[in-house]
């Protein structure tokens, strides 16, 4: 089956033999699973996995689910809607309730475990009803990172087809570009809660401030960025080095807007992290 509007693997230009063989292996893994529920965040990994599942299994055997909570930025939800027009898989929004969990709110270093545990709890229930296997976008490169969510996936028996096929992040981007996926270059976009330092309580109010601040910077044309909620009155803006001059040229406008959000102290950092 060919996904509408996008290239089929056999019709796209091929990458290096090793990468191409990994793509074949991914298709084999998915076909062996037969029916999959894809935890779809809108990032490049889960997008490529969803596209691959559609091609390998067809829409009748593929379902995408996306968690909705205060940690999902409104712009991200809009972008997910756009992606689903390009990768037209059956899809469900799932309301998750991690903010009802005191362990999540406490924001310790393993906060992501409680978020993923909530997602996989609900995704697994849906998958059981539909006789599907839950899969996510964990890839081979992710093995090098500290990812508490991986432990939640292990708890729930979530499969990782990209990792099993030994596909790295760079290879996934390459294959996604060949497939014509519109977000193949998209930077990592972790949830809004990642902007709150560990040990500081996660609140909806704090996330709303961060989201408003980042939306403002995006309207100014910045794309690779984070706004860290250091404390109630302090924000740290992380930008790429090439954007430094442009940011300093708009210093007054940025400060005025951030002040209106309640941030009195604003700092600029040129080493943006990916989490």
């Amino acid at each position: 089956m060919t996904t509408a509007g996008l290239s089929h693997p056999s019709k796209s230009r091929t990458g290096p033999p090793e990468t191409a063989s990994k793509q074949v292996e991914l298709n084999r893994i998915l076909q062996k699973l037969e029916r999959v529920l894809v935890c779809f965040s809108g990032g490049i990994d889960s997008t490529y996995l969803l596209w691959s599942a559609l091609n390998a299994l067809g829409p009748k055997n593929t379902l995408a689910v996306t968690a909705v909570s205060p940690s999902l930025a409104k712009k991200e939800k809009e972008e997910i809607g756009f992606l689903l027009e390009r990768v037209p898989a059956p899809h469900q929004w799932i309301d998750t309730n991690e903010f009802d969990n005191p362990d999540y709110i406490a924001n310790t270093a393993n906060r992501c475990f409680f978020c993923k545990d909530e997602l996989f709890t609900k995704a697994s229930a849906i998958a059981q009803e539909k006789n599907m296997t839950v899969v996510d976008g964990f890839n081979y490169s992710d093995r090098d990172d500290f990812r508490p969510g991986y432990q939640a996936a292990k708890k729930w028996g979530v499969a990782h087809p990209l990792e099993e096929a030994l596909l790295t992040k760079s290879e996934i981007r390459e294959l996604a570009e060949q497939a014509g996926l519109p977000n193949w270059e998209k930077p990592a976009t972790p949830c809004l809660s990642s902007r709150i330092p560990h040990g500081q309580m996660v609140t909806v109010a704090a996330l709303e401030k961060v989201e408003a601040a980042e939306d403002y910077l995006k309207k100014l044309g910045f794309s690779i960025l984070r706004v860290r909620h250091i404390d109630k009155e302090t924000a740290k803006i992380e930008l790429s080095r090439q954007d430094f001059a442009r940011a300093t040229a708009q210093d007054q406008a940025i400060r005025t807007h951030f002040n209106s959000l309640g941030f009195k102290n604003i700092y600029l950092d040129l080493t943006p992290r990916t989490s």
Side-chain angles (χ1 to χ4, degrees):
M1 162 273 180
T2 302
T3 304
L6 301 174
S7 303
H8 188 277
S10 62
K11 295 181 181 180
S12 62
R13 59 184 178 83
T14 58
E18 185 179 6
T19 303
S21 66
K22 290 180 182 181
Q23 184 185 50
V24 172
E25 176 64 7
L26 175 61
N27 288 338
R28 186 196 68 78
I29 292 166
L30 289 168
Q31 288 167 358
K32 187 176 179 180
L33 292 174
E34 296 183 349
R35 290 172 56 78
V36 297
L37 182 153
V38 181
C39 294
F40 181 61
S41 67
I44 185 55
D45 299 320
S46 63
T47 301
Y48 183 69
L49 177 61
L50 179 60
W51 178 84
S52 298
L54 281 173
N55 278 289
L57 304 173
K60 291 184 179 180
N61 297 311
T62 304
L63 174 65
V65 299
T66 304
V68 179
S69 79
S71 66
L72 177 66
K74 296 180 181 65
K75 293 288 186 184
E76 283 298 306
K77 188 175 181 181
E78 290 175 5
E79 288 187 16
I80 289 170
F82 168 74
L83 278 171
L84 289 168
E85 294 177 3
R86 301 292 303 276
V87 188
H91 177 264
Q92 287 183 220
W93 299 101
I94 300 178
D95 290 321
T96 54
N97 305 110
E98 62 268 25
F99 279 76
D100 292 340
N101 186 342
D103 291 323
Y104 179 86
I105 297 296
N107 197 22
T108 58
N110 64 337
R111 180 198 66 242
C112 289
F113 172 86
F114 303 107
C115 175
K116 292 295 186 182
D117 188 50
E118 169 72 4
L119 168 60
F120 295 145
T121 298
K122 295 196 170 181
S124 295
I126 296 171
Q128 186 173 8
E129 290 178 5
K130 298 181 179 295
N131 191 30
M132 289 179 158
T133 298
V134 179
V135 299
D136 71 2
F138 190 88
N139 66 65
Y140 195 74
S141 298
D142 291 334
R143 289 182 171 194
D144 298 329
D145 299 333
F146 172 66
R147 290 181 178 267
Y150 186 84
Q151 296 305 314
K154 187 175 180 180
K155 170 184 172 181
W156 285 99
V158 174
H160 312 299
L162 299 176
E163 180 198 22
E164 191 176 342
L166 308 183
L167 280 163
T168 65
K169 172 70 79 172
S170 61
E171 290 172 326
I172 291 166
R173 289 195 186 280
E174 176 190 352
L175 291 169
E177 181 185 14
Q178 293 170 20
L181 295 175
N183 62 341
W184 71 271
E185 280 188 300
K186 182 180 180 180
T189 310
C191 75
L192 290 172
S193 294
S194 68
R195 316 303 200 266
I196 313 297
H198 291 311
Q200 182 184 142
M201 185 177 293
V202 177
T203 67
V204 174
L207 299 190
E208 289 175 344
K209 285 176 66 174
V210 167
E211 183 175 10
E214 291 192 352
D215 284 348
Y216 176 74
L217 293 174
K218 289 173 183 177
K219 287 178 181 178
L220 293 181
F222 300 103
S223 57
I224 301 176
L225 65 95
R226 297 282 186 274
V227 173
R228 306 287 178 182
H229 188 285
I230 304 304
D231 59 42
K232 187 176 181 180
E233 296 185 342
T234 305
K236 181 174 71 170
I237 302 171
E238 296 177 356
L239 298 172
S240 59
R241 185 167 296 276
Q242 57 265 33
D243 284 333
F244 177 73
R246 191 151 57 92
T248 53
Q250 301 179 77
D251 173 77
Q252 189 55 55
I254 292 173
R255 286 187 175 278
T256 298
H257 190 80
F258 274 53
N259 289 164
S260 73
L261 297 174
F263 291 122
K264 295 182 179 179
N265 309 305
I266 304 100
Y267 300 96
L268 181 62
D269 188 335
L270 298 180
T271 54
R273 289 176 286 171
T274 58
S275 60

